[in-house]
Amino acid sequence: MSTHEQRNNTPHVLVVDDEYFNYEMLSMALSDAFTLSYADSGKSCLSNAIAHRPDAILLDVCMPGLDGYDTCRMLKNTPETKDIPVVMVSGLESEQEQQAGYEAGCDAYVIKPFTIQSLLEQLKSMV
């Protein structure tokens, strides 16, 4: 039985961030509402999302290698993952950055620092 099934069908969110600390913080804050898993890069995000399809993906924009925009484009252009809602998380708040996120296919763009409450509401509206 997977962790997902044990949690009473709690929605599964894949957190993609090159900083594990950010995942730990989110995990503490969101674990009551969601089952979380972690990927540390865009590449591992894609393989992880195909292998263990999440209900939503929380995607950091600024990562080395494949950034969040490229990762989001890959997710949205892959048949197995194209329907998974993607919430991009970024410290970059300019309209151009947000526009780039939506053009890459994200379903929501959340600017750091954000409140856990606003992030929770955003995720709950999608899953």
Side-chain angles (χ1 to χ4, degrees), residues 51-121:
H52 310 283
R53 184 185 166 88
D55 296 300
I57 296 173
L58 203 53
L59 179 59
D60 187 35
V61 169
C62 299
M63 295 185 294
L66 275 178
D67 67 12
Y69 302 127
D70 289 337
T71 302
C72 189
R73 270 189 283 281
M74 278 183 6
L75 288 164
K76 294 302 183 177
N77 287 308
T78 301
E80 298 89 337
T81 58
K82 69 181 174 55
D83 298 328
I84 301 170
V86 175
V87 178
M88 292 187 107
V89 179
S90 175
L92 308 168
E93 57 185 275
S94 75
E95 274 183 42
Q96 293 93 323
E97 295 292 343
Q98 292 181 53
Q99 188 62 39
Y102 287 112
E103 285 172 4
C106 78
D107 299 273
Y109 192 98
V110 178
I111 296 164
K112 296 177 191 175
F114 50 80
T115 66
I116 290 301
Q117 191 56 41
S118 66
L119 186 62
L120 258 176
E121 287 166 14

Side-chain angles (χ1 to χ4, degrees), residues 4 10-16 23 30 33-39 45 48-50 52-59 75-76 80-89 107-108 119-127:
H4 188 60
T10 308
H12 170 212
V13 176
L14 174 60
V15 177
V16 186
Y23 168 71
L30 301 175
F34 302 100
T35 301
L36 300 181
S37 58
Y38 175 70
C45 164
N48 199 315
I50 291 171
H52 310 283
R53 184 185 166 88
D55 296 300
I57 296 173
L58 203 53
L59 179 59
L75 288 164
K76 294 302 183 177
E80 298 89 337
T81 58
K82 69 181 174 55
D83 298 328
I84 301 170
V86 175
V87 178
M88 292 187 107
V89 179
D107 299 273
L119 186 62
L120 258 176
E121 287 166 14
Q122 195 75 58
L123 284 169
K124 281 182 176 176
S125 73
M126 294 185 171
V127 294

Side-chain angles (χ1 to χ4, degrees), residues 7-25:
R7 289 290 310 266
N8 247 346
N9 289 335
T10 308
H12 170 212
V13 176
L14 174 60
V15 177
V16 186
D17 198 313
D18 58 316
E19 296 285 333
Y20 188 74
F21 176 76
N22 291 338
Y23 168 71
E24 288 184 314
M25 299 299 293

